[in-house]
Amino acid sequence: MSERIVVRKCGGIEEFQRCVALQKEIWGEEDLEVEPATLFVVADETGGQVLGAFDGERLVGYTLAVVGFREGTVFLHSHMTGVHGAYRDRGVGRALKLFQREEALGRGIRLIVWTFDPLETRNAHFNLNRLGAIARKYLPNLYGRTTSPLHRGLPTDRLWAEWRLDSARVVGAISDVVKETDEAAATIELPAELDRWKESDTAEVAKVQARIRSEFTAWFARGYAAVGVRKLATGTKYLLAPWSDF
């Protein structure tokens, strides 16, 4: 990542409004139910995170996280991360996540969670391979059906990513010392045609979604977790392993 990019906490309504403006620029107001500046204020005031990536004075990426509490554990739910199109594939998203991890650990928070679409395999690669998160919960139609073209009228199925910040798995992943392997106790495969179908054949995408929903749900019920993805000549496969191993 360019040395000009600085990641830091955002503060004050003006910077939160800039996050909202960038949100609209990244996704388009018509493609997204825009999160208002008031949510950024609430997150900041209640122990969440509003983090920004800046190129000089220009905001080029941001992360919004809120506080969660479940089963006696305080964690952060990373609700949204966005990077301006001109700055993608330059390490900005990873820098935001690494700063997010450091800031959380500095406050004694050891878990960050978020959701992602299992059909978006680039996101899966980033979350599972590059960051070392795992997923062991499948949430069908979590946000309901929306009018956004991004969702193609399909159920908003999501995987629940768990990022255990000080685990050996995460430390190895973010240090780039983990040796990738294709070995797995189980796999779930997505066809190579999926990206083409997303552009023109929603019915085929829906079939893939329904199949992997069933497969993920069955494997998770048996105590397995998604721990990685690998590219194949025939598409992409998720690697699954007993989650107790992690």
Side-chain angles (χ1 to χ4, degrees):
M1 188 177 70
S2 170
E3 294 181 359
R4 298 182 307 171
I5 307 296
V6 174
V7 178
R8 62 169 174 81
K9 291 182 180 180
C10 294
I13 190 63
E14 187 273 335
E15 288 196 338
F16 300 153
Q17 289 170 339
R18 290 172 65 186
C19 290
V20 174
L22 180 57
Q23 179 187 180
K24 295 175 182 177
E25 190 173 356
I26 293 170
W27 286 286
E29 293 184 67
E30 296 180 358
D31 292 345
L32 183 75
E33 295 177 358
V34 176
E35 301 294 0
T38 50
L39 179 58
F40 290 77
V41 172
V42 170
D44 183 62
E45 291 292 336
T46 57
Q49 294 172 320
V50 183
L51 311 177
F54 293 83
D55 185 355
E57 294 299 315
R58 183 185 184 187
L59 179 69
V60 300
Y62 74 94
T63 288
L64 168 67
V66 296
V67 177
F69 180 81
R70 181 173 291 174
E71 297 176 354
T73 298
V74 175
F75 59 91
L76 292 172
H77 184 278
S78 192
H79 177 54
M80 180 176 283
T81 295
V83 176
H84 190 281
Y87 288 81
R88 288 179 194 150
D89 300 319
R90 293 170 59 177
V92 176
R94 193 165 194 256
L96 281 163
K97 296 303 288 186
L98 295 183
F99 186 93
Q100 181 182 47
R101 173 180 179 269
E102 291 176 4
E103 196 279 337
L105 285 172
R107 291 190 282 147
I109 298 172
R110 302 173 60 199
L111 173 66
I112 298 176
V113 304
W114 61 89
T115 64
F116 68 97
D117 185 344
L119 297 175
E120 299 297 330
T121 55
R122 286 191 64 183
N123 287 347
H125 165 73
F126 179 68
N127 295 331
L128 306 182
N129 298 345
R130 296 280 285 150
L131 295 180
I134 67 169
R136 55 193 176 116
K137 183 162 61 174
Y138 193 97
L139 301 166
N141 199 26
L142 177 62
Y143 304 112
R145 292 180 186 264
T146 77
T147 58
S148 171
L150 295 173
H151 300 148
R152 308 174 192 87
L154 296 174
T156 48
D157 288 15
R158 295 293 183 266
L159 286 171
W160 180 268
E162 301 175 29
W163 201 25
R164 301 191 174 276
L165 305 181
D166 55 357
S167 68
R169 170 181 168 82
V170 169
V171 172
I174 65 176
S175 302
D176 297 319
V177 297
V178 175
K179 183 179 180 181
E180 291 192 354
T181 175
D182 289 334
E183 296 181 6
T187 61
I188 294 175
E189 296 192 14
L190 283 70
E193 298 85 356
L194 182 60
D195 285 339
R196 175 167 55 83
W197 290 340
K198 288 176 185 176
E199 300 298 325
S200 60
D201 198 335
T202 299
E204 288 297 329
V205 178
K207 291 178 185 177
V208 175
Q209 184 186 63
R211 173 176 60 79
I212 68 170
R213 179 192 301 142
S214 175
E215 293 179 12
F216 273 117
T217 300
W219 281 111
F220 290 169
R222 294 175 60 181
Y224 283 71
V227 299
V229 291
R230 296 291 182 271
K231 294 292 289 185
L232 305 168
T234 55
T236 303
K237 67 179 179 181
Y238 280 88
L239 310 181
L240 291 95
W243 68 262
S244 58
D245 293 348
F246 300 94

